[in-house]
């Protein structure tokens, strides 16, 4: 159950409805009547953007209905004129992104030369849409005290939106999961939301939120406003089963306006945490400026914004390392004979504790103060041009480059992470008449993440091949020792400027869309198509140097590894996953009565089966296959019949504009987009020679494991993607009631529900020993008769 309490000043004749969705603007519609409630046909309704003075004129139909779709968000003045009636002017009408207003006008009989002018104040309440969501205004975006000036943080102010902690050292995620701050909207998975800027999808390669290495979205001064749709949104929205965050970039105005700013934050008033020997130094500078105006009055407008971030954050890194006595084999559980080869690695790469011992004294704290240095540059530019009364075009360019340099857990090297984003949008609008509009859109979204680079090496042994687990490589990783921090390995011998585990991810998305809005009597029709071409280029060099795992500190000391994973030293290929998405929809908002609107829509959305640019696809058709299937098709397409019906209603029972009851139901498909296969496609034999050993003889560390597995064909890794997957979808429903209280407060009581069916599910290693059914129940067989599900491979992801 979700409770919404918002302070809103509502004008009684303003209602909201979702005429506008996939297009990036807002809409205004309503009915023009006389004092007897009779419709006034052919009334001229003129809307003027108060910032640009761009005007749009529409006429009412025989029922007195008018609509003006795809308006640039902002403040408008509306003039209603008809022969025999006084002219009505309303100012201060706020049109929001991705939403519409219903403004009903009652005209008085009289001289048209007489003008009655009123000012509309406050934000309108939603009385005619079945969708669950809210809008964040431009003033809220600019004036809110945001840590790091990340405008996307404001999404959590909406009901049902929850931030998800990713645990990243950078603060915003990692290269596999994406850097943006993860959000769960109405209980949906964080990777099933849709993020849009000026009508173009800006989801990254992980299908997550866009963001820099700090997880932020700069450009507070460049974002005019944005909306959050949490459930049961119209059929115009696709590519998502979660929420929709829909933002629009600021435009220039007739008057030139600009700003210059700098924000400084430092450690002057910070407190020392328990592990700090002193307060770590911290300094953050955010600076920049914006400028917008008219290149040609009432015709051509330009806006630009730059923001820079320079941060040096002192971090106290706390790690757990074996104690001095443990390194000699003296453990709390008894003494053991330390293997000389293990002792050599402990001495070379594991620092001695410089803090207190932990627990039984086998481990201790190693802490140090380091600096995490971040640099980011964010640029936005937007151009709007009106060719005439019927045609206009706008374009946006955005670029965000950021990188962070920080020490590893043992202060032995400085690693760096790079994030780069680019966005280009073009939007063209043609008005055929007051009831017929077409909006075409093109977008290009690019996201790049490079993780594992090395800026400086403080421990030269990390680049000494004498410590390699694999001939010709540098030292690998040592993980999963209970109570001991993971050692993250040395440099990559094939690429000396990177760590042993690195990832290069390059994402390109080309998007074409066209939307048509048509008014026919009581029907507000919207239909359109969308094509998106996705290119996901991966180069994963993780585990190049090998990884050992141990079940206990004692096992590490006596050289009894649990398993080993590594890559044969061959050139590591780049994988290029290619996929195309097709979407088409029709949406009809039907005014059954003046106080009752029914929203009905149908969307069909399908994707091609992912292909690889070089044919490097490998997949087991069945889990027990001895050999994988190579090449396309990767699997059978489950999306061909993805029809998504959506229906809802909004009812104002007392026709007073103060009470609304709304509800709806919709189906939304989870598409098998490239992010689903990022950790599967690049790690399968024969295109990636990853070897796995789950049963190793004692003494296999450091080189014995590789030498014993390199020639063993059953140690290779394979992958399994369900050959004939079922349709994956989510059903959503909602019911709510809202009431406008005195003093402009609106109270909403709502319920939102969803059910996901056949959701994507991934297992790191499915190649396990299966239990057998005995009279005592399911038991694992003895070790002598144990056999993996597929003995032909060491691991099946």
């Amino acid at each position: 159950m979700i409770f919404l309490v918002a302070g809103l000043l509502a004008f009684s004749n303003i209602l909201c409805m979702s005429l506008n969705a996939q297009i990036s603007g807002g809409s205004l519609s309503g009915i023009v009547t006389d004092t007897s409630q009779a419709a006034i046909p052919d009334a001229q309704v003129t809307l003027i953007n108060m910032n640009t003075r761009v005007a749009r004129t529409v006429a009412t139909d025989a029922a007195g209905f008018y609509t003006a779709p795809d308006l640039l968000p902002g403040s408008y003045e509306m003039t209603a004129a008809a022969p025999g009636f006084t002219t009505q002017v309303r100012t201060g009408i706020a049109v929001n992104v991705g939403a519409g207003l219903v403004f009903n006008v009652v005209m008085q009989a009289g001289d048209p030369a007489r003008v009655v002018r009123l000012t509309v104040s406050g934000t309108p309440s939603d009385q005619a849409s079945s969708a669950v969501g809210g809008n964040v205004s431009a003033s809220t975006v600019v004036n809110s005290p945001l840590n790091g000036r990340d405008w996307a943080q404001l999404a959590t102010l909406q009901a049902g939106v929850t931030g998800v902690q990713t645990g990243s050292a950078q603060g915003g995620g990692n290269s596999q999961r994406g850097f943006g701050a993860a959000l769960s909207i109405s209980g949906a998975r964080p990777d099933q939301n849709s993020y849009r800027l000026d009508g173009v999808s800006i989801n990254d390669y992980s299908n997550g939120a866009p963001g820099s290495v700090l997880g932020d979205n700069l450009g507070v001064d460049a974002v005019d406003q944005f909306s959050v749709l949490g459930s049961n949104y119209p059929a115009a929205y696709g590519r998502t089963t979660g929420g929709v965050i829909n933002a629009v970039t600021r435009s220039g105005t007739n008057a030139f306006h600009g700003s210059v700013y700098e924000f400084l934050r430092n450690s002057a008033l910070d407190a020392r945490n328990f592990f700090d020997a002193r307060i770590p130094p911290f300094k953050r500078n955010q600076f920049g400026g914006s400028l917008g105006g008219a290149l040609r009055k009432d015709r051509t407008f330009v806006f630009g914004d730059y923001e820079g971030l320079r941060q040096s954050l002192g971090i106290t890194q706390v790690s757990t390392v074996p104690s001095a006595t443990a390194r000699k084999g003296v453990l709390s559980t008894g003494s053991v004979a330390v293997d000389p080869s293990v002792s050599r690695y402990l001495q070379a790469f594991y620092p001695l504790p410089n803090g207190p011992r932990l627990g039984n004294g086998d481990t201790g704290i190693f802490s140090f103060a380091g600096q995490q240095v971040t640099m980011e540059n964010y640029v936005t530019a937007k151009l709007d041009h009106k060719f005439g009364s019927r045609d206009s075009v706008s374009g946006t360019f955005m670029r965000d480059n950021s990188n962070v340099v920080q020490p590893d857990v043992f202060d032995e090297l400085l690693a760096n992470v790079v994030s780069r984003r680019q966005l280009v949008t073009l939007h063209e609008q043609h008005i055929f008449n007051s009831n017929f509009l077409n909006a075409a859109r093109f977008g290009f979204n690019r996201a790049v993440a490079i993780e594992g680079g090395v800026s400086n090496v403080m421990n030269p042994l990390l680049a000494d091949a004498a410590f390699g687990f694999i001939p010709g490589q540098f030292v690998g990783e040592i993980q999963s020792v209970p109570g001991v921090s993971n050692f993250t390995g040395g440099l990559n011998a094939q690429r000396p400027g990177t760590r042993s585990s690195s990832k290069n991810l390059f994402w390109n998305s080309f998007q074409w869309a066209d939307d048509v809005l048509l008014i026919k009597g009581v029907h507000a029709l919207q239909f359109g198509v969308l094509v998106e071409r996705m290119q996901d280029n991966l180069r994963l060099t993780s585990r190049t140097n090998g990884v050992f795992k141990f079940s206990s500190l004692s096992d590490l000391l006596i050289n009894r590894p649990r398993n080993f994973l590594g890559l044969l030293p061959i050139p590591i290929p780049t994988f290029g996953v290619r996929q195309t998405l097709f979407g088409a929809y029709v949406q009809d908002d039907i005014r059954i009565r003046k106080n009752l609107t029914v929203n009905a829509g149908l969307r069909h959305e399908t994707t091609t089966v992912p292909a690889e640019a070089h044919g490097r696809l490998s997949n087991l058709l069945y889990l027990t296959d001895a050999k994988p299937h190579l090449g396309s098709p990767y699997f059978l397409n489950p999306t061909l019949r993805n029809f998504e019906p959506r229906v809802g209603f909004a009812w104002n029972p007392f026709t007073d504009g103060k009470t609304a009851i709304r509800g709806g139901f919709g189906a939304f498909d989870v598409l098998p987009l490239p992010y689903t296969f990022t950790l599967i496609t690049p790690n399968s034999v024969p295109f990636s020679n990853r070897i796995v050993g789950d049963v190793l003889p004692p003494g296999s560390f450091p080189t014995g494991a590789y030498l014993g597995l390199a020639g063993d064909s059953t140690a290779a890794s394979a992958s399994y993607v369900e050959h004939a997957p079922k349709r994956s979808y989510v059903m959503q429903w909602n019911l709510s009631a809202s009431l406008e209280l005195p003093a402009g407060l609106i109270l909403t009581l709502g319920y939102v529900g969803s059910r996901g069916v056949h959701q994507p599910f991934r297992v790191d290693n499915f190649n396990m020993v299966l239990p057998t059914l005995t009279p005592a129940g399911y038991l694992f067989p003895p070790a002598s008769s144990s056999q993996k599900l597929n003995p032909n491979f060491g691991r099946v992801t």
Side-chain angles (χ1 to χ4, degrees):
M1 186 84 52
I2 299 176
F3 294 86
L4 312 173
V5 180
L8 303 174
L9 293 173
F11 184 80
S12 61
N13 278 337
I14 296 183
L15 313 176
C16 284
M17 62 187 296
S18 296
L19 285 174
N20 197 340
Q22 186 163 319
I23 54 181
S24 59
S27 65
L28 187 66
S29 61
I31 299 175
V32 179
T33 62
D34 60 20
T35 53
S36 66
Q37 298 300 306
I40 302 178
D42 297 322
Q44 299 297 303
V45 178
T46 301
L47 298 164
I48 301 177
N49 187 307
M50 300 307 293
N51 291 324
T52 64
R53 306 305 300 178
V54 173
R56 173 92 65 86
T57 300
V58 296
T60 59
D61 61 14
F65 180 72
Y66 75 92
T67 184
D70 202 15
L71 294 169
L72 184 70
S75 178
Y76 281 80
E77 176 184 274
M78 188 187 80
T79 301
F85 295 90
T86 59
T87 301
Q88 305 286 319
V89 177
R90 300 292 184 270
T91 61
I93 300 175
V95 175
N96 296 325
V97 57
L101 304 180
V102 174
F103 196 108
N104 297 324
V105 180
V106 178
M107 302 189 70
Q108 304 284 337
D111 184 0
R114 182 172 176 241
V115 177
V116 178
R117 182 180 296 269
L118 292 175
T119 299
V120 178
S121 62
T123 302
S125 61
D126 186 344
Q127 297 279 337
S129 171
S130 61
V132 174
N135 182 272
V136 180
S137 66
S139 60
T140 302
V141 172
V142 174
N143 297 326
S144 297
L146 299 172
N147 184 17
R149 288 172 52 80
D150 175 11
W151 60 266
Q153 293 178 13
L154 294 171
T156 57
L157 297 178
Q158 301 298 320
V161 181
T162 304
V164 179
Q165 179 59 254
T166 61
S168 164
Q170 286 77 41
N174 56 55
S175 63
Q176 290 178 181
R177 297 174 179 264
F179 293 112
L183 298 176
S184 174
I185 301 178
S186 296
R189 295 183 179 187
D191 58 7
Q192 291 179 358
N193 298 323
S194 176
Y195 297 83
R196 297 154 51 90
L197 182 63
D198 293 341
V200 171
S201 170
I202 55 174
N203 285 40
D204 65 10
Y205 48 82
S206 70
N207 208 42
S212 70
V213 292
L214 291 177
D216 55 25
N217 277 279
L218 299 186
V220 165
D221 291 72
V223 173
D224 192 6
Q225 55 179 268
F226 69 95
S227 62
V228 179
L229 296 177
S231 176
N232 201 47
Y233 28 85
Y237 287 106
R239 206 184 184 276
T240 176
T241 58
V244 177
I245 297 180
N246 198 13
V248 63
T249 307
R250 281 180 62 186
S251 295
T253 65
N254 270 326
F256 273 93
H257 293 283
S259 64
V260 177
Y261 54 85
E262 180 171 10
F263 296 86
L264 171 65
R265 182 182 168 195
N266 57 38
S267 55
L269 300 178
D270 286 357
R272 183 180 67 87
N273 72 37
F274 178 80
F275 295 102
D276 290 335
R278 59 183 179 87
I279 297 175
F282 172 52
K283 186 176 182 180
R284 176 195 291 162
N285 287 83
Q286 285 183 263
F287 53 91
S290 64
L291 180 65
L295 298 180
R296 183 180 176 189
K297 188 175 181 181
D298 297 341
R299 288 281 186 174
T300 307
F301 308 93
V302 66
F303 175 82
D305 174 68
Y306 165 77
E307 185 165 355
L309 183 148
R310 305 293 184 268
Q311 174 175 295
S312 180
L313 172 64
I315 54 175
T316 299
Q317 180 73 50
V318 180
S319 304
T320 308
V321 294
S323 64
T325 55
R327 296 167 194 245
K328 299 176 182 178
V330 182
L331 300 175
S332 58
T333 56
S335 297
V336 297
V338 179
D339 189 286
S341 57
V342 172
S343 179
R344 177 170 171 255
Y345 282 80
L346 292 176
Q347 183 178 356
F349 303 112
Y350 284 82
L352 287 167
N354 57 9
R357 287 194 175 193
L358 297 176
N360 51 26
D362 293 343
T363 59
I365 292 292
F366 171 73
S367 65
F368 66 94
Q371 290 296 117
Q372 181 193 82
V373 180
T374 304
M375 181 179 71
E376 182 173 2
N377 292 297
Y378 177 96
V379 177
T380 297
K382 186 174 185 180
L383 179 69
D384 299 89
H385 178 70
K386 183 177 181 180
F387 294 99
S389 60
R390 295 181 179 272
D391 290 282
S392 62
V393 65
S394 66
T396 305
F397 171 78
M398 184 274 288
R399 184 181 179 92
D400 181 24
N401 288 351
S402 63
N403 66 79
V404 61
V405 178
Q406 59 187 1
D408 70 340
V409 294
F410 294 151
D411 197 24
E412 295 180 325
L413 58 75
L414 293 178
N416 62 67
V417 181
V418 175
S419 170
R420 294 196 292 265
R421 300 187 294 141
Q422 296 181 47
L423 177 72
V424 176
T425 73
L426 291 175
H427 180 276
E428 190 276 338
Q429 180 191 91
H430 179 74
I431 302 172
F432 293 93
N433 57 53
S434 59
N435 293 325
F436 186 18
L437 178 146
N438 185 85
R441 184 175 64 257
F442 166 78
F444 170 69
N445 174 32
R446 178 175 174 85
V448 177
I450 304 174
E451 186 177 38
V454 175
S455 298
N456 188 29
V457 178
M458 288 85 82
N459 184 350
L461 299 182
L462 294 175
D464 187 346
F467 288 89
F469 302 163
I470 299 173
Q473 301 292 324
F474 300 136
V475 61
E477 303 174 48
I478 301 175
Q479 296 184 353
S480 301
V481 181
V484 177
S485 298
N486 290 337
F487 170 60
T488 52
L491 305 185
N492 186 333
Q494 297 182 14
R495 302 170 66 196
T498 65
R499 293 287 301 274
S500 61
S501 178
S502 64
K503 308 173 186 69
N504 294 359
L505 304 170
F506 301 84
W507 167 262
N508 295 323
S509 170
F510 300 86
Q511 304 169 43
W512 299 267
D514 192 84
D515 302 278
V516 176
L517 296 99
L518 180 64
I519 307 302
K520 284 289 186 180
V522 298
H523 299 273
L525 290 164
Q526 181 176 335
F527 46 93
V529 295
L530 167 71
V531 178
E532 181 180 3
R533 179 63 174 175
M534 291 165 277
Q535 300 176 343
D536 194 15
N537 300 306
L538 316 171
R539 183 178 174 89
L540 304 185
T541 60
S542 58
R543 315 310 187 224
T544 305
N545 296 357
V547 181
F548 275 100
K549 294 183 179 181
F550 295 84
S551 298
S552 66
L553 178 57
S554 175
D555 283 353
L556 171 64
L557 296 175
I558 64 176
N559 197 344
R560 189 168 62 189
R562 186 177 73 201
N563 58 36
F564 174 80
L565 184 150
L567 284 176
L568 297 180
I570 62 172
I572 300 172
T574 297
F575 289 83
V577 179
R578 304 291 184 261
Q579 191 173 29
T580 304
L581 181 152
F582 302 94
Y585 74 93
V586 58
Q587 176 76 28
D588 190 5
D589 294 323
I590 310 168
R591 294 180 296 111
I592 302 295
R593 300 181 61 183
K594 185 177 180 179
N595 63 336
L596 176 62
T597 300
V598 173
N599 314 120
L602 178 67
R603 185 177 187 90
H604 180 251
E605 200 162 49
T606 183
T607 62
T608 59
V609 175
E612 205 281 322
H614 311 287
R616 297 180 182 131
L617 289 178
S618 172
N619 186 41
L620 296 177
L621 298 183
Y622 300 96
L623 280 168
T624 55
D625 284 355
K627 294 182 179 180
H629 171 267
L630 303 182
S632 296
Y634 205 12
F635 50 84
L636 301 182
N637 196 336
T639 71
L640 299 179
R641 299 180 181 178
N642 281 3
F643 291 96
E644 307 169 359
R646 302 174 192 179
V647 64
F649 72 92
W651 178 40
N652 181 11
F654 305 114
T655 65
D656 57 359
K658 297 184 178 181
T659 306
I661 299 174
R662 63 179 62 82
F665 172 86
F668 306 81
D669 278 288
V670 182
L671 301 174
L673 300 178
Y675 77 96
T676 312
F677 312 102
T678 300
L679 300 180
I680 299 177
T681 304
N683 294 317
S684 302
V685 69
F687 307 113
S688 176
N689 283 350
R690 184 170 66 163
I691 55 175
V692 178
D694 286 325
V695 179
L696 300 175
S700 298
F701 177 89
T703 59
Y706 171 81
L707 296 176
L709 295 170
D712 185 357
S713 62
T714 64
S717 293
S719 66
Y720 169 76
V721 176
E722 189 175 358
H723 181 60
K726 296 179 174 62
R727 178 185 178 185
S728 176
Y729 62 97
V730 173
M731 296 175 288
Q732 297 179 358
W733 55 91
N734 67 281
L735 181 65
S736 65
S738 63
L739 174 65
E740 183 181 345
L741 303 175
L745 292 175
I746 294 179
L747 172 67
T748 300
L749 173 66
Y751 168 80
V752 175
S754 66
R755 180 173 186 261
V757 180
H758 301 140
Q759 299 290 276
F761 176 70
R762 185 179 68 85
V763 179
D764 286 333
N765 184 15
F766 206 81
N767 200 16
M768 61 187 74
V769 176
L770 297 181
T772 56
L773 182 61
T774 71
Y778 280 98
L779 299 176
F780 285 94
S784 59
S785 60
S786 297
Q787 182 172 302
K788 293 180 178 180
L789 180 67
N790 190 334
N792 301 291
F793 301 99
R795 170 172 291 196
V796 177
T797 302

